[in-house]
Amino acid sequence: QVQLVESGGGLVQPGGSLRLSCAASGSIFRTGDMGWYRQAPGKQRELVATITSSGTTNIVSSVKGRFTISRDNAKNTVYLQMNSLQPEDTAVYYCNQRIWDRNMQFRNYWGQGTQVTVSS
């Protein structure tokens, strides 16, 4: 079995920063693309950023220049560094990892979600 555990969310004032982490553990053979999504109250889940296994990143325009995605393949962990946070960034953030387990089964895994609240 494979599990994803997120950490790093919380309450921050406008202009502040947070760093989210998402670590995968269990019967992992190889990790593929990773990403972060978010869902604000009353809205659909939306893509925030992705990173391929080779490190190529894609950041959506609404957060480009403020958010950075990175990964540590040795730790099966993906990070989201969020700077200059604004109230409209308030949402539950979910990580996603595409993983081959040791039975060579490929699946799309999701973290449990972590709340990010930007408010003064």
Side-chain angles (χ1 to χ4, degrees), residues 1-3 24-32 34 53 71 73-76 97-107 109:
Q1 291 184 345
V2 175
Q3 289 185 327
S25 63
S27 181
I28 298 170
F29 173 73
R30 180 183 174 186
T31 57
M34 300 179 179
S53 55
R71 63 190 286 166
N73 290 330
K75 296 181 179 180
N76 297 319
Q97 294 196 28
R98 298 181 178 186
I99 295 174
W100 284 266
D101 64 23
R102 290 177 183 164
N103 294 320
M104 299 309 292
Q105 297 294 312
F106 175 76
R107 281 188 57 190
Y109 290 89

Side-chain angles (χ1 to χ4, degrees), residues 41-93:
K43 295 187 177 181
Q44 291 187 335
R45 188 175 298 188
E46 64 176 4
L47 173 68
V48 176
T50 60
I51 184 167
T52 68
S53 55
S54 60
T56 301
T57 63
N58 176 49
I59 312 290
V60 298
S61 58
S62 59
V63 304
K64 190 170 290 185
R66 301 188 296 122
F67 290 12
T68 303
I69 187 171
S70 61
R71 63 190 286 166
D72 185 333
N73 290 330
K75 296 181 179 180
N76 297 319
T77 299
V78 60
Y79 305 96
L80 185 68
Q81 178 66 44
M82 305 184 293
N83 300 327
S84 301
L85 283 160
Q86 300 301 317
E88 54 265 32
D89 296 317
T90 295
V92 178
Y93 285 70

Side-chain angles (χ1 to χ4, degrees), residues 12-34:
V12 64
Q13 292 186 342
S17 298
L18 285 174
R19 188 192 194 207
L20 305 183
S21 300
C22 170
S25 63
S27 181
I28 298 170
F29 173 73
R30 180 183 174 186
T31 57
D33 294 356
M34 300 179 179

